[in-house]
Amino acid sequence: MVSDSITNASIPCPNVKDLGKKKRANRSAKLKQCKLDVRREQWLSQVKKKGCGEEWTGDGLHRDASNGSSENVESRRERGRVEANGPGSIHHDSDLELSPSNSPISLNSILGSNDSGTNYSGSGSSSSSSADCCSGNITEEDDEGGDDGCLDDWEAMADALAANDERPKPPSCPPPPQDLTASNGSGMIVGGENLRSGTRATPAAANTRAWRPDDAFRPQSLPNLTKHHSFPNPSDRRFVNGGISWAGCNRIFNVPTSCPICCEDLDLTDSSFLPCLCGFRLCLFCHKRILEEDGRCPGCRKPYEHNPVEGEASVQGGGLTYRLTRSSSLMARP
Amino acid sequence: MAAVNGQTEDRYQGNTPAVAPSPKQPLPAAKSVDTQSVLKRLQSELMALMMSGDPGISAFPEEDNIFCWKGTITGSKDTVFEGTEYKLSLAFPNDYPFKPPKVKFETACFHPNVDVYGNICLDILQDKWSSAYDVRTILLSIQSLLGEPNTSSPLNPQAAQLWSNQEEYRKMVEKLYKPPSAA
């Protein structure tokens, strides 16, 4: 039943069109949105079974979870019952949910963030069910994102993406797709890994804060999960995003957003393209055009030395290529 | 005047070599794209020029042809051209900005590097052209050319000769100056 709902929910994602402007963002958004829809479905079904009230009590109980109170055991038992009713749904839920957590772990290991550390190394009660861990992560999400769910959040995200695109800041737009698709892909395809990470992530429940009583529509807050998992916290997210474009990171601040010759927007390839040592940037089309005509850099009027400099651009400024350029220009000059 | 402009433009575009087909680039597509990108470039130049608000220069396309602009520059302060205003025409080729626009004085200008037809001898409009230049930098260059002529290769030898005597030169400028509105 759940798998049905997954397929149904995943295909007509209404939000994707809003984000359609950015092709790259769109891809990841689609994946995310599918997951969000799936998760919402699952939660709705869960909530239907449980009723909202129980969740609220569960809230207090959950906080006790780390303390190991007996109430907690009860709540867990209840959850276990729910699980027994729809084991597929919950397992799948945890599956989907935890899949992105694979990436934060790796990212964090790279970036040295300890945020996920707090998530995953919380308490020792690794015996808790997968449902437990779901709710745990979700409540935490709730703290971060507020209740009103994916729509607002996604719009904000889209705005942020667009804004970042306009300014030559560390582009948060292009990097995430790679990131997300990677993580999503692993999460969706490799089920076994998720199970493993599920056990690892279970202790996260200990950290979680409970649902607030006014969370009448908790499922709506779920969509934040993906974001949260992919990017452990906002500052990390920025860092991750900036980090993806390591190559251009320093330069990107000097890069114009549009080609000074044809006034078309510079895409990622163009903005990482530095054809001349003088630093004058232009799009690949205009560069090609100039090479066909007089072949001089518009910025300094010196002849382009294509091969070495193009090598430089693709290698991202190694000292060797720099020297090559120099020497060839010296040879060309006399 | 309009006829003159039309001639200018026609002549110029006639002189513009048809873009030689390159074996590497699919040319037909490139050419149509070019016109589009020239339009875009000129539009954004116009926008930038209007936003920049540089004193002493202005330019605007003629009513229905964005490839043909009219510009004005005023003589810089503390030069013999102070207080004068000159009208120019700028005709953009189809391969602008890879080729420079044809810029001419529409107002008679007594200047060593401007001939009686208004042609300007300015390196950046010829061999020193760079596609990074735009209308704004052209007009600023011409404005500064007024006060700093290159008298070694003059188009107007009389003006070049007189340049050393600034007082006389100023008188000559005033005598020959016709406000653009009358031109």
Side-chain angles (χ1 to χ4, degrees), chain A residues 260-261 263 289 293 298 301, chain B residues 34 41 44 99 128 130 133:
Chain A
I261 309 302
C263 301
R289 175 83 186 259
E293 294 186 12
R301 292 206 203 84
Chain B
D34 277 355
R41 156 99 185 205
S44 70
K99 291 285 184 293
K128 287 283 172 35
S130 154
Y133 286 126

Side-chain angles (χ1 to χ4, degrees), chain B residues 25-158:
Chain B
Q25 203 173 4
L27 194 79
K31 197 166 185 182
S32 61
V33 167
D34 277 355
T35 315
Q36 282 302 314
S37 70
V38 178
L39 282 176
K40 179 157 188 171
R41 156 99 185 205
L42 287 173
Q43 278 162 359
S44 70
E45 276 194 34
L46 178 61
M47 189 73 91
L49 189 69
M50 294 177 78
M51 298 300 285
S52 72
D54 288 294
I57 63 166
S58 69
F60 203 80
E62 283 182 8
E63 49 270 18
D64 54 349
N65 187 0
I66 201 176
F67 284 86
C68 210
W69 291 30
K70 285 277 179 278
T72 58
I73 58 173
T74 56
S76 304
K77 211 165 179 288
D78 299 327
T79 69
V80 291
F81 296 97
E82 182 179 347
T84 57
E85 186 181 76
Y86 295 93
K87 198 169 176 184
L88 299 103
S89 68
L90 299 93
F92 296 92
N94 285 326
D95 50 358
Y96 181 79
F98 300 101
K99 291 285 184 293
K102 182 84 171 173
V103 185
K104 282 183 69 171
F105 273 97
E106 298 281 306
T107 314
C109 179
F110 184 68
H111 187 276
N113 302 116
V114 180
D115 71 10
V116 289
Y117 308 105
N119 295 311
I120 306 166
C121 180
L122 181 58
D123 55 357
I124 65 153
L125 294 176
Q126 285 140 31
D127 57 317
K128 287 283 172 35
W129 169 253
S130 154
S131 46
Y133 286 126
D134 55 16
V135 174
R136 183 178 156 268
T137 51
I138 289 170
L139 292 179
L140 288 173
S141 298
I142 294 173
Q143 193 184 34
S144 69
L145 178 74
L146 284 183
E148 299 160 24
N150 175 8
T151 51
S152 60
S153 62
L155 282 179
N156 185 339
Q158 192 198 351

Side-chain angles (χ1 to χ4, degrees), chain A residues 309-333:
Chain A
V309 186
E310 273 172 7
E312 190 263 359
S314 62
V315 177
Q316 292 145 12
L320 176 65
T321 44
Y322 180 79
R323 258 182 279 124
L324 277 175
T325 322
R326 272 286 179 231
S327 62
S328 65
S329 69
L330 283 176
M331 287 194 312
R333 211 43 36 112

